[in-house]
């Protein structure tokens, strides 16, 4: 049996499945004690399309992590991704019930409940309801209205919904791997815990996680989440472009990308060359310049960032990104990617390496582990929250406040 001082996160990505086991120490800090990965072969663009292959990757990651940690796990926080995820902002309004018009925990629960009274198609389900701010008698921008006096209480929330069948397939995989789900967490929410700072979330920041099959986007401002989206383009597209452009097999293109890949053309040394394995037998490897590789990668990077820039403007968040953009996910390892993003967004851009955990953190400090590290930080927050409040929805707001953790 898994003891309750272990927190486990599973990032079931398109490229790899990662399991991380965190232990809560006597000082009530969280430390990584186990890490396991498995090649994901059962997902397409963030969604399970092959149960057996996904279960295999989950089990492989689990076994590796358990072996390293020397503990058995049976429950975990699970990341969710895919273009089926939709999000929108909603609002709830209630009349404050108490005789002295003092806002109670009950009122807060009621107004949040009211905010989800919107029609959701039958093939979708709500994953998260995230309070952004409360409004008490027209006074907006209130983060915690408990105990305040007022007649009318309103709340603005961000609601995240997902396709029921995609969620069900994910649940089936975990159930078949005999892992109990603590909670399904939107990847962007998990990732934000490991890569964003308190100040960025307050001032306004765009977070872009470019994985293998997807790019996940989130916009935070005033300490809360305002916009999320998932686009079905990722690192695999770069690899395909290289395979076509250099006429080399996909596995070789992947290796070349990881070893020599760079984006901003002026960055690459013009003299630098690389050996490209040919497609088909009997042909000799060719020597090409690294510049050529940069010229293939660059347009794809620009395409992704332009798409996001257009989307941000269309949705009216152009002025929200006051502290700039954070790029994470495995593809953020491409040399020069931040510079290209900086040019397109005309904002400061930094790479999001996961931080905030002790123990074996140095093994997972690259952006391809941002979501898995974020999941255990999310779980850790839930654990702390339980100590603060037994009341679930009231606790949710406490958790939101915890998002504003010290940078
Ligand atoms: N050093 C590197 N340089 C360039 N790209 C890299 C590097 N290392 C990994 N990648 C790319 O990062 C991608 C995998 O990233 P990540 O592990 O974040 O994906 P994932 O979470 O499995 O997928 P997704 O989030 O799309 O479901 C792959 O396309 C891989 O080629
Ligand atoms: Mg990912």
């Amino acid at each position: 049996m898994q003891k309750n001082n272990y927190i486990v996160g599973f990032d079931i990505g398109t490229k790899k499945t990662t399991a991380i086991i965190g232990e809560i120490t006597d000082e009530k800090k969280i430390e990584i004690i186990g890490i396991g990965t498995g090649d994901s072969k059962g997902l397409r663009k963030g969604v399970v399309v092959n149960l057996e292959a996904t279960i295999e990757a989950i089990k492989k990651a689990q076994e590796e992590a358990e072996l390293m940690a020397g503990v058995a796990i049976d429950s975990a926080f699970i990341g969710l991704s895919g273009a089926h995820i939709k999000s929108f902002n909603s609002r709830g309004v209630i009349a404050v019930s108490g005789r002295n018009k003092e806002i109670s925990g009950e009122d807060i629960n009621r107004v949040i409940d009211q905010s989800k009274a919107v029609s959701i198609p039958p093939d979708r389900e709500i994953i998260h309801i995230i309070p952004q701010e409360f409004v008490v008698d027209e006074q907006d921008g209130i983060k915690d209205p408990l105990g305040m006096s007022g007649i009318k209480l309103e709340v603005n929330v961000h609601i995240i919904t997902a396709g029921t069948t995609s969620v069900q397939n994910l649940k089936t995989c975990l159930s078949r791997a005999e892992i109990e789900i603590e909670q399904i967490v939107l990847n962007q929410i998990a990732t934000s815990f490991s890569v964003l700072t308190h100040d960025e979330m307050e001032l306004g920041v765009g977070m872009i996680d470019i994985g293998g099959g997807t790019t996940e986007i989130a916009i935070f401002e005033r300490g809360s989440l305002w916009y999320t989206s998932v686009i079905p383009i990722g690192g695999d597209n770069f690899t395909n472009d290289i395979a076509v452009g250099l006429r080399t097999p996909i596995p070789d293109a992947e290796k070349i990308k990881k070893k020599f890949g760079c984006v901003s053309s002026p960055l690459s040394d013009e003299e630098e060359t690389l050996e490209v394995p040919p497609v088909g037998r009997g042909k000799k490897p060719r020597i090409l310049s690294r510049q050529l590789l940069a010229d293939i990668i660059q347009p794809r990077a620009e395409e992704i960032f332009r798409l996001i820039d257009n989307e941000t403007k269309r949705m009216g968040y152009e002025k929200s990104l006051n502290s700039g953009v954070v790029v994470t996910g495995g593809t953020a390892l491409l040399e020069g990617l931040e510079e290209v993003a900086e040019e397109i967004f005309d904002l400061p851009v930094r790479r999001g390496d996961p931080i905030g955990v002790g123990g074996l953190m140095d093994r997972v400090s690259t952006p391809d582990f941002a979501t898995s590290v974020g999941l255990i930080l999310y779980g850790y927050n839930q654990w702390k929250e339980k100590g603060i409040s037994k009341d679930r929805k009231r606790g949710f707001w406490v958790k939101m406040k915890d998002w504003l953790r010290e940078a």
Side-chain angles (χ1 to χ4, degrees):
M1 261 297 283
Q2 181 178 325
K3 285 198 288 183
N4 57 9
N5 59 336
Y6 295 123
I7 289 171
V8 184
F10 269 89
D11 171 18
I12 304 167
T14 309
K15 209 72 200 166
K16 68 176 189 312
T17 293
T18 307
I20 298 191
I21 306 176
E23 183 179 26
I24 296 166
T25 63
D26 293 342
E27 294 80 37
K28 307 222 177 330
K29 294 256 185 291
I30 178 131
E31 285 189 349
I32 293 174
I33 57 165
I35 302 154
T37 56
D39 284 344
S40 293
K41 296 211 170 80
L43 286 96
R44 262 183 66 84
K45 305 195 179 299
V47 171
V48 176
V49 291
N50 180 330
L51 295 178
E52 298 307 328
T54 307
I55 295 163
E56 199 182 306
I58 291 172
K59 283 189 169 160
K60 159 90 175 17
Q62 176 188 2
E63 279 163 20
E64 223 175 86
E66 284 181 335
L67 199 67
M68 190 186 289
V71 297
I73 55 174
D74 56 23
S75 70
F77 289 85
I78 314 296
L80 180 71
S81 184
H84 62 98
I85 295 163
K86 302 264 178 288
S87 75
F88 56 92
N89 293 320
S90 178
R91 169 171 266 231
V93 188
I94 58 152
V96 177
S97 61
R99 222 184 295 152
N100 52 2
K101 298 294 171 203
E102 199 172 286
I103 296 164
S104 64
E106 174 58 30
D107 290 320
I108 295 173
N109 286 351
R110 213 154 44 85
V111 77
I112 292 172
D113 268 345
Q114 220 259 326
S115 73
K116 64 174 182 192
V118 282
S119 78
I120 309 273
D123 58 347
R124 307 194 66 75
E125 60 188 83
I126 294 181
I127 302 292
H128 296 282
I129 303 173
I130 301 156
Q132 295 162 325
E133 60 171 0
F134 291 89
V135 183
V136 180
D137 296 345
E138 314 305 325
Q139 174 64 56
D140 61 6
I142 296 168
K143 290 210 169 143
D144 190 357
L146 186 73
M148 288 178 73
S149 294
I151 294 164
K152 189 169 76 170
L153 175 66
E154 294 167 75
V155 66
N156 292 325
V157 296
H158 188 68
I159 296 184
I160 291 156
T161 68
T164 308
T165 48
S166 298
V167 175
Q168 191 49 53
N169 285 333
L170 189 62
K171 285 182 179 168
T172 304
C173 290
L174 287 145
S175 140
R176 298 246 320 260
E178 291 175 16
I179 293 167
E180 194 191 316
I181 299 174
E182 293 268 4
Q183 200 183 323
I184 288 185
V185 185
L186 181 75
N187 272 1
Q188 288 95 314
I189 292 180
T191 308
S192 73
F193 274 80
S194 72
V195 303
L196 298 183
T197 67
H198 165 97
D199 287 350
E200 284 170 336
M201 282 166 139
E202 270 298 316
L203 274 171
V205 66
M207 188 187 79
I208 304 173
D209 176 335
I210 315 179
T214 65
T215 295
E216 298 157 350
I217 303 148
I219 294 175
F220 292 83
E221 200 186 2
R222 280 172 277 151
S224 196
L225 181 58
W226 292 82
Y227 179 74
T228 47
S229 116
V230 181
I231 52 176
I233 309 178
D236 290 348
N237 297 83
F238 289 85
T239 305
N240 284 335
D241 293 347
I242 295 166
V244 172
L246 299 184
R247 277 175 282 120
T248 194
I250 297 263
D252 294 306
E254 176 76 11
K255 276 188 217 144
I256 291 171
K257 178 181 79 173
K258 287 189 179 166
K259 197 161 173 207
F260 302 102
C262 60
V263 187
S264 190
S265 309
L267 262 188
S268 25
D269 175 358
E270 274 184 33
E271 304 292 302
E272 215 179 327
T273 56
L274 50 125
E275 195 180 284
V276 181
V279 182
R281 282 193 203 146
K283 292 187 184 157
K284 286 200 186 111
R286 289 159 296 149
I287 305 294
L288 296 173
S289 78
R290 197 178 175 207
Q291 180 66 53
L292 184 64
L293 185 61
D295 291 344
I296 294 170
I297 296 174
Q298 176 123 0
R300 183 62 81 175
E302 287 175 354
E303 180 203 5
I304 293 178
F305 294 132
R306 279 222 179 85
L307 259 171
I308 300 170
D309 191 45
N310 291 341
E311 181 86 352
T312 311
K313 288 180 175 142
R314 194 173 60 81
M315 298 305 291
Y317 291 106
E318 197 183 350
K319 300 240 168 354
S320 299
L321 312 179
N322 297 305
S323 55
V325 171
V326 175
V327 184
T328 188
T331 302
L333 288 164
L334 272 176
E335 199 183 311
L337 196 71
E338 293 106 288
E339 283 81 353
V340 172
E342 245 165 24
E343 219 157 89
I344 287 170
F345 293 116
D346 195 18
L347 287 167
V349 176
R350 71 169 178 92
R351 191 172 96 179
D353 291 331
I355 53 164
V357 201
L360 304 171
M361 185 61 211
D362 56 334
R363 299 206 196 175
V364 286
S365 58
T366 47
D368 49 329
F369 291 105
T371 306
S372 44
V373 174
L375 278 164
I376 64 162
L377 282 169
Y378 179 92
Y380 175 53
N381 253 275
Q382 296 272 303
W383 178 87
K384 282 197 290 187
E385 176 202 324
K386 274 190 202 140
I388 298 166
S389 170
K390 294 265 181 282
D391 180 44
R392 284 201 70 204
K393 293 213 181 78
R394 174 77 193 109
F396 197 90
W397 187 246
V398 174
K399 186 189 75 206
M400 279 302 299
K401 286 204 293 185
D402 279 349
W403 277 21
L404 313 177
R405 63 195 188 283
E406 293 308 317

